[in-house]
Amino acid sequence: MSDQDNDKPIYVTRPVMPPLEEYVAYLEGIWERKFLTNCGVLHQELEAALSKYLGVNETALFSSCMAGLMAAFPVLDITKGEVITTPFTFVATANAIHWNNLTPVFVDIDPNTLNIDPSKIEAAITPKTKAILAVHCYGRPCDVEAIARIAKKHDLKVIYDAAHVFGVEDEGGGLARHGDLSVLSFHATKVFHTFEGGAMIAPDAVIKKRIDEFKNFGLSGETGLSAIGFNGKMAEVNAAMGLLQLHYIDEAINHRARVYRHYHEALTGVEGLALPDFSQIRRANYAYFPVIVEGVYHKSRDEIFDDLQANNIIARKYFYPSITDFAPFKAYGGECPISKKMAAQVICLPIYPDLSTPQLERIIRVMKP
Ligand code: T4K
């Protein structure tokens, strides 16, 4: 980076852009085949490659994670009732429940993991509860075993909003294998992207067929309709970007790890800043760098956010406010004081593979008292 770049904006994230000529080579194939969508060859190739990379049984591509989350309920035959979920997430999680005419029931989070607190789930279960929609927030695994135990005891389905977990592994393998269904995001701001996109992870080929039909209007063969579905398909240009990204993904995650370590070396010991600790995750993806700003820090979360902005560093308050504080969700009620508190203290610092050492130093100069 040259000195002239010193005041250029630093965003919270930047997408990985593989060499253009390699993408053009994929485009040439698409131009030749003239198959642009409806599960073409690149779509099929990417599903197979992702199942392998993520260590999961079946991958069904979607146009976005939100579309996948919306389809997850009808695919599991959940058409009415309550869904237990976390208030500490991006709105898409709760929106997907609402759009299915289901009722979100918000359960507070664990202040250490910022994921739904399993010890509070059972108190929220009623005869109307149908499912738990949990989020592996920032790519940090939920307590999947506790959630599975509760679900089994009360005969509930488990869906994971796995938007943040691309490439994350726990002791048993790919994190996205957990739950009845798991949905990843391949949005431009994610560790792995297809411009826009997502994928639903299914346990077997029978469920995968249901998903494939649902995302294609519910069509079954040429003349049948197995469900009243919608159009949630991924196009070939997006699948091409995914196939290309896969060549670079390990390198990208390694660069993210470098940024994570740099922040730790520079900011550990700064009073009042609680840094994310991904050291217990067998394979982390360093998707976000969420810092919790505590009272003893010399500035409030909002003050440090404004200072960063003044220095052209565009950090983000992911995830503020807590979903229960968004006007349209207030009607659903739910007291979640820990989520509210954490949402008021969190700031996500820039983290992406291309973030350079001089850029990191610029951020650290503002963060350090
Ligand atoms: N569940 C969870 C837990 C999620 O976090 C998300 C999405 C979803 C579900 C739904 O996934 P999708 O349906 O989108 O697949 C962004 C993303 O739009 C959203 O995908 C993401 N979570 C959320 C956490 O962040 P914004 O409104 O903050 O994005 P935006 O446009 O302000 O982008 C942030 C920064 O990224 C920009 O300042 C610059 C950089 N950027 C962004 C884009 C779009 C680029 O450099 N290039 C780009 O193309 O929501």
Side-chain angles (χ1 to χ4, degrees):
M1 198 179 71
S2 75
D3 287 341
Q4 291 159 342
D5 290 335
N6 266 342
D7 53 2
K8 276 197 173 162
I10 304 176
Y11 297 103
V12 70
T13 189
R14 301 251 76 190
V16 170
M17 301 305 283
L20 184 58
E21 60 278 13
E22 293 181 24
Y23 186 62
V24 170
Y26 278 100
L27 290 182
E28 283 167 357
I30 295 172
W31 254 244
E32 218 168 276
R33 287 187 296 277
K34 296 190 169 67
F35 274 97
L36 310 184
T37 186
N38 286 6
C39 308
V41 288
L42 300 181
H43 186 282
Q44 290 167 36
E45 215 180 294
L46 182 59
E47 287 192 339
L50 286 176
S51 293
K52 195 161 168 230
Y53 186 85
L54 298 170
V56 297
N57 292 345
E58 298 285 349
T59 302
L61 294 172
F62 269 84
S63 52
S64 71
C65 175
M66 169 91 198
L69 288 171
M70 284 181 62
F73 296 102
V75 162
L76 294 173
D77 278 330
I78 301 170
T79 51
K80 56 181 175 209
E82 296 174 356
V83 177
I84 289 176
T85 193
T86 170
F88 193 85
T89 181
F90 189 60
V91 281
T93 317
N95 287 1
I97 300 173
H98 176 90
W99 270 89
N100 274 291
N101 285 323
L102 297 162
T103 305
V105 174
F106 296 101
V107 165
D108 214 349
I109 56 167
D110 176 321
N112 298 312
T113 64
L114 305 177
N115 289 328
I116 194 165
D117 183 343
S119 72
K120 294 183 177 145
I121 291 179
E122 282 198 282
I125 295 175
T126 74
K128 291 185 187 158
T129 310
K130 295 288 167 51
I132 300 169
L133 172 54
V135 180
H136 303 290
C137 196
Y138 308 128
R140 203 186 264 133
C142 286
D143 187 342
V144 288
E145 279 167 22
I147 291 172
R149 261 196 312 275
I150 297 165
K152 192 166 177 216
K153 183 171 159 197
H154 297 273
D155 194 22
L156 305 176
K157 299 287 187 195
V158 178
I159 301 164
Y160 281 106
D161 177 335
H164 301 171
V165 311
F166 194 92
V168 177
E169 290 173 12
D170 63 14
E171 297 312 316
L175 189 62
R177 76 189 187 285
H178 292 288
D180 291 285
L181 294 172
S182 217
V183 189
L184 295 120
S185 171
F186 303 155
H187 183 260
T189 55
K190 296 295 188 282
V191 168
F192 169 91
H193 77 88
T194 55
F195 302 115
E196 287 270 7
M200 199 190 286
I201 305 305
D204 57 53
V206 176
I207 313 265
K208 159 93 159 87
K209 184 165 180 279
R210 282 184 71 132
I211 300 166
D212 285 346
E213 290 179 354
F214 193 89
K215 76 176 186 194
N216 189 26
F217 310 100
L219 289 169
S220 178
E222 250 184 64
T223 52
L225 193 71
S226 60
I228 302 178
F230 60 44
N231 181 357
K233 288 166 284 150
M234 178 183 278
E236 289 290 90
V237 286
N238 303 94
M241 186 55 144
L243 285 165
L244 188 48
Q245 293 267 323
L246 273 182
H247 296 299
Y248 297 94
I249 187 67
D250 289 337
E251 189 187 334
I253 292 175
N254 287 342
H255 277 294
R256 286 175 172 274
R258 167 190 59 81
V259 173
Y260 168 88
R261 285 194 300 271
H262 193 123
Y263 276 132
H264 268 271
E265 276 156 29
L267 297 175
T268 297
V270 173
E271 219 188 354
L273 290 186
L275 308 182
D277 179 5
F278 298 137
S279 62
Q280 301 309 308
I281 305 173
R282 195 180 87 157
R283 187 192 189 218
N285 68 359
Y286 312 95
Y288 293 87
F289 198 86
V291 175
I292 302 297
V293 181
E294 291 161 350
V296 288
Y297 187 61
H298 68 301
K299 289 187 173 149
S300 70
R301 190 279 305 269
D302 288 345
E303 284 166 346
I304 190 64
F305 178 84
D306 290 345
D307 276 5
L308 288 164
Q309 290 258 342
N311 284 277
N312 224 354
I313 298 161
I314 323 298
R316 295 301 287 263
K317 298 176 192 177
Y318 295 138
F319 291 101
Y320 175 85
S322 179
I323 302 286
T324 42
D325 285 332
F326 274 122
F329 281 102
K330 279 193 174 161
Y332 289 113
E335 280 298 301
C336 296
I338 299 174
S339 175
K340 198 179 171 90
K341 180 171 180 287
M342 291 302 167
Q345 288 180 247
V346 71
I347 184 164
C348 283
L349 297 183
I351 185 164
Y352 53 89
D354 290 345
L355 194 64
S356 67
T357 301
Q359 286 174 312
L360 273 161
E361 289 303 327
R362 234 176 93 193
I363 299 163
I364 286 155
R365 270 198 299 278
V366 181
M367 293 299 294
K368 274 196 163 171

